[in-house]
Amino acid sequence: MSEHLIQIEQHGGVRLLRLNRPEALNAFTAAMLGQLRQALEAAAEDSATRCVLITGAGRAFSAGQDLADPHVAPSREPGAAPKDIGHMLDHYYIPLALRLRSMPVPVLAAVNGVAAGAGANMAFGCDLVLAGESASFLQAFSKIGLLPDCGGTWLLPRLVGRAKALELALLGDKLKAVEAERLGLISRVVPDAELQDTAMAIAQKLAGMPTRALVETRRALDEALKLDFEPALKLEAALQSQLGFSHDYLEGVAAFMDKRKPEFKDR
Ligand code: LHQ
């Protein structure tokens, strides 16, 4: 049987995915990226899953691409042909980043330690990012002669503005979790000992909420970044109109009127 490079647990409506190569700080190999993609597909297809929570095993979240993976490690043999590392992006990172961004349920990252390179940008691509206070983030790419990938060039300026995005990307310095929160790169920092419980409590809360409304909110925010004000208002109206026909809208209003807890079930 192949190694479980992603540990999968179900906690009620929450699908927990744990990056699981702690001996290499959960650096991504092609096999691991394949398993992560499969795990996300399976969560997307499972109607009982209403939130995905991603975290790391051991002391790191992820050190990004495994630089020893034969798919990317440059050969040291004299005269050996250089490898096209763009292949890894086309076949693994791009589908992964797109899958994360289009999940039919909210996705929460609980960053338990260092998140470097594609590991950091994968976390920033999630809907909510929680970090333990000893976690850190670095755009490690410039140190090895590369540029931010896995959505980094798109996400960073949108999250922190051009000046800070360039500082992070060019210098590649380690950013502490509190500073990442202050800059608006992540949602919240919590004490290390509370990270997993807090993340699970938030994931359970999200799982009990009207999933379609949450996912359409993500979509509207992402689309609005590309739109002028009036088209953004019209998009809100179009999406709101659709949500108005949903079970969850009827249920939400009925529960409010009846002063009871709503039971949302759309997905
Ligand atoms: C690692 C790694 C690693 C292998 C730690 N690989 N072993 C996409 C497509 C195509 C090509 C390239 O890239 C990409 C996207 C990317 O993600 S590029 C960026 C790749 N990541 C990096 O450059 C980060 C490299 N790692 C580090 O800078 C440090 O290890 C960090 C800051 C993450 C952690 O530092 P420390 O806490 O001091 O730990 P350490 O450096 O001692 O690492 C512990 C072990 O993990 C060590 O192995 P060892 O056998 O000596 O215990 C490292 O070699 C191994 N490791 N990152 N990415």
Side-chain angles (χ1 to χ4, degrees), residues 12-51:
V14 176
R15 178 75 51 101
L16 172 66
L17 307 182
R18 190 178 292 109
L19 310 176
N20 187 37
R21 287 189 71 224
E23 69 286 0
L25 305 187
N26 301 320
F28 296 124
T29 57
M32 186 176 175
L33 290 165
Q35 288 187 25
L36 180 56
R37 172 95 185 281
Q38 267 178 15
L40 288 170
E41 292 298 346
E45 277 165 26
D46 174 27
S47 59
T49 293
R50 299 175 59 85
C51 180

Side-chain angles (χ1 to χ4, degrees), residues 25 27 59 63-67 72 85 89 93 117-118 140-141 146 149:
L25 305 187
R59 74 174 174 93
Q65 170 65 41
D66 188 317
L67 298 173
V72 302
I85 57 173
L89 298 176
Y93 286 101
F141 309 90
L146 296 178
D149 60 25

Side-chain angles (χ1 to χ4, degrees), residues 105-119:
V105 297
V107 183
L108 173 64
V111 180
N112 52 300
V114 67

